[in-house]
Amino acid sequence: MKKYRYLIWILPVLAAILIFCFSAQPGEESSELSNSVVLKLLDLLSRWNPSLDTAEFPERMSIPVRKAAHITEYLIFFLALLAAFHVSGFGRFRRIGNSFLTAFLYACTDEIHQLFVDGRAGRFTDVLIDSSGIAVLSVILIFVNFYRVKKADRPE
């Protein structure tokens, strides 16, 4: 069974490929995808509340939807990395740190990649947005694991 444990690394590799493919989309194509999500969300909200004023909704929600998608895809990548480092035998804090660092550095390279895609721009602020979800989750995991270690060390 030990020889198969490294197959878990397929998950973060697939997540990285997915992020790369989304980033390789030209700006116009990426905007169309985001806008289609916004329109579906608008349709859903108007079904719940028919009196909802939806005139400015697509313009206002396009950027938040796009940024939420970036945060989500990096959270998925981070969780896949956590699982892979766990199965590979890394300790609690090392796997959190390594997963965060790997995802953060990948976000940096992703923004560099976007410099070469039509209609896209590489911005460090986007790296911070991409990494915001993994930073929050990392802090939560560190506190939870610190509490577990501290609780295990206490005599009963």
Side-chain angles (χ1 to χ4, degrees), residues 22-35 62 66 114 116-121:
F22 281 135
S23 294
Q25 292 177 330
E28 192 173 306
E29 189 178 326
S30 177
S31 292
E32 286 176 16
L33 180 62
S34 296
N35 289 339
S62 183
R66 181 176 291 150
Q114 288 185 27
F116 302 99
V117 178
D118 288 337
R120 302 293 291 263

Side-chain angles (χ1 to χ4, degrees), residues 37-108:
V37 171
V38 168
L39 291 174
K40 287 179 183 177
L41 183 61
L42 176 62
D43 182 48
L44 182 67
L45 289 174
S46 63
R47 287 182 191 183
W48 283 344
N49 185 358
S51 64
L52 185 68
D53 180 21
T54 58
E56 295 179 14
F57 190 82
E59 286 180 27
R60 288 184 164 189
M61 291 307 296
S62 183
I63 291 175
V65 164
R66 181 176 291 150
K67 299 310 175 187
H70 282 253
I71 291 169
T72 302
E73 66 189 12
Y74 276 91
L75 273 172
I76 291 167
F77 182 47
F78 177 74
L79 292 171
L81 286 166
L82 274 176
F85 281 120
H86 173 72
V87 170
S88 297
F90 283 71
R92 292 176 181 170
F93 296 104
R94 278 190 60 210
R95 71 176 161 251
I96 296 168
N98 287 344
S99 297
F100 177 83
L101 185 61
T102 303
F104 176 79
L105 291 175
Y106 192 76
C108 292

